[in-house]
Amino acid sequence: MKYRKLLLENVHIPGIDTFDVYRKNGGYRSVEKALKSMTPDEVVEEVKKSGLRGRGGAGFPTGMKWSFLAKPEGVPRHLVCNADESEPGTFKDRYLMEKNPHLLIEGMITSSFALGANLSFIYIRGEFMYVLHILEKAISEAYANGFLGKNILGSGFDLDLCVAPGGGAYICGEETALLESLEGKRGNPRMKPPFPAVKGLWGCPTVVNNVESIAAVVPIVNEGGDAYAQIGLGRSTGTKLISASGNLVRPGVYEIEMGVSVEEFIYGDDYCRGIANDKKLKACIPGGSSVPILPHYLVTKTAAGEDRLMTYESLSDGGFATGSMLGSGGFIVFDEDQCIVRNTWNFARFYAHESCGQCSPCREGTGWMEKVLHRLEHGHGNMRDITLLEEINKKIEGNTICPLGDAAAWPVAAAIRHFRDEFEWHVNEREQSQKRNYGLITQPSVAV
Amino acid sequence: MAHTDNEPVEFSSETMSKMKELIASYPEGKHKSALIRILHLVQTEKGWVSTPSMNKVAEILKIQPIEVYEVATFYTMFHLEPVGKYVFEVCHTGPCMLVGSDNIIEYIENKLNIKIGETTTDGLFTLKTAECLGGCGYGPLLQCKYKFHEHLTKERVDELIEKYRSGKYDQN
Ligand SMILES: Cc1cc2nc3c(=O)[nH]c(=O)nc-3n(C[C@H](O)[C@H](O)[C@H](O)COP(=O)(O)O)c2cc1C
Ligand code: SF4
Ligand code: FES
């Protein structure tokens, strides 16, 4: 059993969202340590040693990302925290910021110091306006106590920190769309290169990191990168916040030590406590709506019959054929009564709605997929539609400016791959499919 | 209609001073960054974002009106048409659907006797659907004036509508 908590350890302490209580419980130590006894490069080095991988979805090593930041003479640099949190199934950042706002502020200060940024931002989705106010209160407390502003702790390091809201657009979670939005524009993703590390906010070198990644810098600096790397399993170091939703007895946000088994996470007493209403598990999307869905027989075991673990490697074991991804940790669980076709259509509608419309394969393709899935789900589809979906997929994949196109296409491909019977049933048994649920698929007898 | 294009618009002095404060928080020449937050302020004061309001924002930010229209039309939170006093935005994305958001939407439709996108005849409630609101583990849920109402059941919806009707949520 793995209990280690680093980010949510103190959330149950009353008043932890105030500066005084947070400080009494060891808060802002990482700022003191970094500013008083380390160079910025030494902080970057600790983050590299920690093995921390970006918690926003892509899992790119944070220390490496930081070391790519261009440092031209006389040009300001920026750190931008991505608190857009709009990937369906993901609601961990909101929890962290609401319960423990100073942890994020502390992480922002320590990280900005490491990157040499003197003006940093937290970009938060507009729907979280109440969290924005919580953060602003924490920020003003940090200013009042000398942790923000000019010459922090007498170190000569200056930092201003601002929070800016979005206005309701999933695409603004994509880092270059986020930067456009932060500049007061439509959230249209930019062509890369140049990457934000070279040309980011207002054309200046910029690092964009997820809330959880920035919060994790605090324990990394406090305890050292090596100590952090000891937690977890293999290249999946540290702890991870998992947002569990769907048909679970106890959905919610859990901080797990990487390496917990999926079985224990779904059924264990410390975690989700099983499927709600005594139903059976039908499927699971382990990393947010953009990652492939897994049928029940590939959720707790890999195709090779090994225990599936909550790590980057184990969840993607088998590639797209029999695996999925840890992604943002948006763990969505389906019980036996759920219709996979309906759910696939639902997510396709989401992506069609959220496509920014800049590239035609994504704009047209997502709309098309939504239409085809709508008719399949409502009993007006035919067999050709299933192949059509696969063809549209191939036209989107890799042909777009940003990864939203892939994020829309891959889950549809995975649903058809694993639940083709259920799609065909919607065509062959139109009336039945409108009246009742297909139920559980059986495990293929041949090895997948 | 309330939204003719030449009706002049004034914002309250409170809104105006908040806007100025926001603009001042950005570096020289980067004040356009305040735009989205300013649109939220406008909507909070006026209930929706009209063309005259957008023109006024352009004037305040010293940018072209088109730059404001572009942004206001891109982001789904901004109501570009008049809406009811309370807008219920019910999440209908996957995880919420798994726990019954469809039933909740249907229940609200019947209860208020409106369809998605419509406003009650007394002008109090507008019903909309929203894509994932970032609270998937607490669904079904809806948002109204930035407030989240989670774990919705039919009883909770009845209660909620009563509370909004009697102005209980107007204070904060
Ligand atoms: C369509 C799309 C939506 C995204 N949404 C988010 C998001 O809501 N939050 C987030 O942190 N990253 C999101 N990302 C990933 C970001 O682009 C970026 O990789 C991430 O913020 C980097 O932070 P990290 O390295 O700490 O993970 C999204 C990416 C795409 C393509
Ligand atoms: S892939 Fe889609 S969301 Fe991304 S830039 Fe192209 S149209 Fe916009
Ligand atoms: S799916 Fe409804 S809040 Fe995320």
Side-chain angles (χ1 to χ4, degrees):
Chain A
M1 192 123 15
K2 305 190 172 177
Y3 273 112
R4 189 75 203 259
K5 284 189 184 170
L6 298 174
L7 308 181
L8 303 183
E9 198 181 3
N10 291 339
V11 292
H12 300 294
I13 300 174
I16 197 72
D17 58 336
T18 62
F19 180 87
D20 291 342
V21 176
Y22 181 75
R23 183 86 174 118
K24 272 197 205 95
N25 285 279
Y28 290 99
R29 273 188 300 139
S30 78
V31 176
E32 286 178 311
K33 184 173 175 183
L35 270 58
K36 290 185 175 165
S37 69
M38 295 170 82
T39 64
D41 285 347
E42 281 167 358
V43 179
V44 176
E45 206 42 49
E46 289 307 315
V47 175
K48 275 192 185 162
K49 276 194 228 158
S50 73
L52 174 69
R53 291 162 71 178
R55 305 298 196 224
F60 191 82
T62 306
M64 201 188 293
K65 183 187 258 187
W66 287 12
S67 62
F68 291 156
L69 184 66
K71 297 185 175 164
E73 208 48 49
V75 180
R77 301 189 280 275
H78 302 289
L79 170 64
V80 175
C81 172
N82 188 343
D84 193 58
E85 186 145 85
S86 13
E87 170 91 350
T90 316
F91 50 101
K92 66 188 174 74
D93 297 337
R94 164 183 147 176
Y95 185 83
L96 178 84
M97 293 186 286
E98 181 179 348
K99 300 288 177 192
N100 205 0
H102 281 284
L103 183 70
L104 177 61
I105 310 303
E106 177 175 359
M108 285 299 287
I109 302 168
T110 306
S111 306
S112 297
F113 170 74
L115 298 166
N118 303 111
L119 174 59
S120 296
F121 291 91
I122 300 171
Y123 178 90
I124 186 165
R125 61 181 300 178
E127 292 87 346
F128 290 176
M129 198 56 88
Y130 79 100
V131 184
L132 178 145
H133 294 303
I134 292 173
L135 291 172
E136 284 193 334
K137 181 173 158 283
I139 287 173
S140 66
E141 288 180 317
Y143 271 105
N145 286 280
F147 281 90
L148 278 171
K150 294 252 173 289
N151 192 20
I152 299 170
L153 306 177
S155 65
F157 174 63
D158 304 337
L159 177 64
D160 284 310
L161 179 56
C162 292
V163 196
Y170 166 65
I171 192 57
C172 291
E174 194 280 333
E175 55 185 11
T176 60
L178 186 158
L179 295 173
E180 287 286 303
S181 183
L182 203 47
E183 293 179 6
K185 302 187 224 151
R186 298 166 68 98
N188 285 352
R190 300 172 181 170
M191 283 288 235
K192 298 194 239 186
F195 288 90
V198 177
K199 264 188 188 322
L201 184 62
W202 303 312
C204 302
T206 302
V207 165
V208 181
N209 271 131
N210 176 253
V211 171
E212 190 187 344
S213 313
I214 289 170
V217 171
V218 173
I220 289 170
V221 169
N222 281 337
E223 297 176 33
D226 287 330
Y228 187 89
Q230 293 300 309
I231 304 165
L233 190 70
R235 287 185 55 237
S236 296
T237 62
T239 62
K240 175 87 189 83
L241 299 182
I242 304 291
S243 323
S245 66
N247 309 118
L248 290 161
V249 173
R250 206 170 58 152
V253 177
Y254 296 92
E255 181 170 9
I256 60 154
E257 184 169 337
M258 294 238 227
V260 171
S261 75
V262 173
E263 170 105 33
E264 186 179 348
F265 183 69
I266 296 179
Y267 297 100
D269 279 348
D270 298 321
Y271 304 106
C272 305
R273 299 191 183 167
I275 312 301
N277 307 314
D278 294 319
K279 304 251 186 230
K280 292 196 185 73
L281 171 71
K282 177 169 181 175
C284 172
I285 301 178
S289 62
S290 305
V291 311
I293 190 168
L294 293 172
H296 61 89
Y297 54 88
L298 289 173
V299 175
T300 56
K301 299 277 181 206
T302 65
E306 284 164 6
D307 283 345
R308 185 87 77 184
L309 308 176
M310 301 286 276
T311 62
Y312 291 97
E313 294 74 20
S314 182
L315 284 170
S316 55
D317 186 285
F320 278 6
T322 61
S324 183
M325 281 160 81
L326 176 61
S328 60
F331 197 89
I332 311 168
V333 170
F334 300 72
D335 72 24
E336 59 195 291
D337 289 345
Q338 303 305 329
C339 172
I340 299 298
V341 180
R342 185 168 185 77
N343 186 75
T344 311
W345 161 59
N346 181 299
F347 282 138
R349 181 187 65 200
F350 172 83
Y351 289 104
H353 184 262
E354 300 299 331
S355 165
C356 85
Q358 270 193 110
C359 7
S360 27
C362 169
R363 182 187 60 239
E364 303 302 322
T366 52
W368 216 9
M369 285 201 294
E370 197 254 338
K371 266 197 210 112
V372 175
L373 281 158
H374 182 276
R375 65 175 181 252
L376 280 166
E377 160 62 8
H378 292 88
H380 311 299
N382 55 48
M383 285 301 177
R384 171 83 186 97
D385 284 337
I386 301 174
T387 3
L388 184 60
L389 284 171
E390 290 171 320
E391 283 162 16
I392 302 171
N393 255 302
K394 290 203 190 82
K395 298 227 161 65
I396 300 179
E397 227 181 324
N399 292 325
T400 57
I401 294 176
C402 92
L404 184 137
D406 294 341
W410 290 339
V412 176
I416 298 176
R417 188 180 311 125
H418 297 300
F419 298 91
R420 186 178 281 274
D421 291 4
E422 194 164 330
F423 282 86
E424 290 178 352
W425 184 69
H426 274 70
V427 175
N428 293 331
E429 303 291 339
R430 286 167 206 270
E431 271 169 38
Q432 282 298 318
S433 75
Q434 300 308 296
K435 285 193 207 126
R436 69 172 177 88
N437 156 49
Y438 182 74
L440 290 180
I441 49 158
T442 45
Q443 181 161 355
S445 48
V446 276
V448 262
Chain B
M1 279 305 278
H3 54 302
T4 47
D5 278 4
N6 38 23
E7 228 171 273
V9 153
E10 290 300 327
F11 300 128
S12 71
S13 55
E14 200 197 347
T15 302
M16 285 301 284
S17 69
K18 271 195 201 147
M19 286 183 185
K20 300 236 162 78
E21 204 180 297
L22 272 172
I23 293 169
S25 72
Y26 285 94
E28 198 55 40
K30 312 287 192 239
H31 55 274
K32 189 177 167 181
S33 288
L35 175 55
I36 296 176
R37 187 129 179 219
I38 285 178
L39 289 172
H40 281 290
L41 291 176
V42 169
Q43 182 155 301
T44 300
E45 182 182 320
K46 304 282 183 200
W48 64 293
V49 180
S50 65
T51 308
S53 289
M54 290 192 271
N55 293 341
K56 181 85 184 172
V57 166
E59 204 182 297
I60 294 167
L61 278 172
K62 300 192 183 71
I63 56 179
Q64 295 300 316
I66 182 78
E67 295 178 79
V68 182
Y69 308 159
E70 266 184 350
V71 166
T73 53
F74 184 82
Y75 296 94
T76 55
M77 288 182 80
F78 302 119
H79 308 308
L80 302 175
E81 296 286 333
V83 285
K85 186 167 181 201
Y86 308 110
V87 183
F88 281 180
E89 302 196 63
V90 193
C91 172
H92 67 164
T93 312
C96 278
M97 184 181 74
L98 292 178
V99 292
S101 60
D102 289 352
N103 297 340
I104 291 295
I105 292 166
E106 199 186 315
Y107 185 74
I108 299 175
E109 282 182 333
N110 291 336
K111 171 110 190 165
L112 294 177
N113 198 20
I114 48 175
K115 291 275 161 218
I116 293 163
E118 294 177 352
T119 301
T120 50
T121 45
D122 59 6
L124 268 189
F125 297 99
T126 299
L127 177 64
K128 292 193 175 189
T129 52
E131 296 296 352
C132 182
L133 292 168
C136 328
Y138 322 119
L141 54 81
L142 67 81
Q143 190 169 37
C144 180
K145 288 191 189 284
Y146 302 114
K147 219 186 190 70
F148 278 90
H149 298 286
E150 301 170 338
H151 301 294
L152 294 179
T153 57
K154 290 175 184 170
E155 294 73 32
R156 280 276 292 137
V157 168
D158 289 346
E159 202 182 299
L160 210 66
I161 290 174
E162 252 347 283
K163 280 196 178 156
Y164 274 108
R165 274 212 176 108
S166 61
K168 284 222 174 69
Y169 285 120
D170 289 352
Q171 277 76 30
N172 41 39

